[in-house]
Amino acid sequence: MRLDGFVEPGSEEVALLESLDAGRLPRHIAVIMDGNGRWAGQRMLPRVMGHRAGIDSVREIVEDTRRLGIGALTLYAFSTENWKRPKAEVRTLMRLLKEFIRKEMRRVHENNIRFQAIGRVRELDESVQGELRRFEELTAGNTGMVLNVALNYSGRAELTDACNRLIAERARAGDASEVDEDAIAGALYTAGLPDPDLLIRTSGEVRISNFLLWQIAYAEIYITPTFWPDFRRRHLLEALVEYQRRDRRYGGI
Ligand code: IPE
Ligand code: IPE
Ligand code: MG
């Protein structure tokens, strides 16, 4: 495919972009942004410097996904299990999140991107929730792309919340019928979005870490050894090229 001004002329990204079929891009990409701590460790820096550097990757990947015309991007930023980390690291992650929102909100809005925080957001610090609400409200009417950021998220928590929502709704309506897959999908945080076609995990770990358990049923999984702070446009294009090489059979032949 071609995209004016997207890649540096003469760079290796040109060939990657040209080899992509614009008609077969994923509709939704999910990313487990991993390896910030190890990136910092390699440089003898404190872990939080890795998180800070990871923000530049977030900015670039959000803009690039939008430019490519992909309809949805879901980024795993903080899991329900990440509370196990030292308090200082958690505090810094929350501070960086607020800083990111304040700095990037305008640009995301100008790019016609709708932001959504997914996860047990109500358990986050009130000041974080305030920033998230501002960001969601500002961008609520945007139609270019959906940007989900998973915060205090886990796939099992999401499925549990979905079940409880369905139980409550049905109790209210006096509805004792069985639920079907559409009802469950419609009660998830990602209701209304197509399932991710491509799941990217950086830093080489070959596991799901409780991410989007329901939605990734047929996602193509792409694992790269690159640490998240190093993951930029070229790496995204490489992932897309690999994705388009896959034969998606969905159980058929
Ligand atoms: C991913 O990087 C960011 C979060 C989970 C918040 P890590 O902090 O997990 O980095 P590693 O895996 O320890 O290198
Ligand atoms: C997964 O990374 C969660 C996020 C990227 C936010 P972790 O670093 O927490 O996952 P594990 O502990 O290696 O499974
Ligand atoms: Mg990690």
Side-chain angles (χ1 to χ4, degrees), residues 32-41 47-48 50-51 76-79 82 85 89 93 201-203 205 207 227-229:
I32 303 175
M33 309 184 289
D34 198 13
N36 294 352
R38 278 163 286 163
W39 180 94
R47 290 178 56 84
V48 296
H51 298 314
Y76 202 4
F78 192 85
S79 75
N82 288 146
R85 296 186 178 202
E89 180 169 341
L93 281 167
R201 183 167 189 152
T202 58
S203 89
E205 304 296 356
R207 57 176 167 263
F227 292 139
W228 177 249

Side-chain angles (χ1 to χ4, degrees), residues 152-168:
N152 194 24
Y153 175 91
S154 92
R156 287 187 174 181
E158 177 179 35
L159 282 162
T160 306
D161 290 349
C163 290
N164 284 319
R165 226 173 105 182
L166 290 171
I167 291 169

Side-chain angles (χ1 to χ4, degrees), residues 1-21 68 233-235 237-238 241:
M1 65 184 282
R2 295 244 161 112
L3 210 52
D4 280 346
F6 184 63
V7 290
E8 199 71 44
S11 71
E12 53 188 316
E13 294 167 4
V14 176
L16 288 166
L17 185 65
E18 276 176 0
S19 71
L20 283 179
D21 174 354
L68 288 162
R233 180 171 308 142
R234 176 170 65 80
H235 306 89
L237 291 170
E238 282 168 356
V241 168

Side-chain angles (χ1 to χ4, degrees), residues 4 12 29 48 53 55 57 74 97 107 119 129 136 141 159 176 189 193 211 216 226 238 240 249 252:
D4 280 346
E12 53 188 316
I29 299 179
V48 296
I55 291 179
S57 299
T74 299
L97 172 65
R107 232 185 123 62
Q129 289 188 52
E136 286 180 340
L159 282 162
Y189 308 132
L193 291 175
F211 192 39
I216 60 168
T226 304
E238 282 168 356
L240 290 168
R249 286 187 294 274

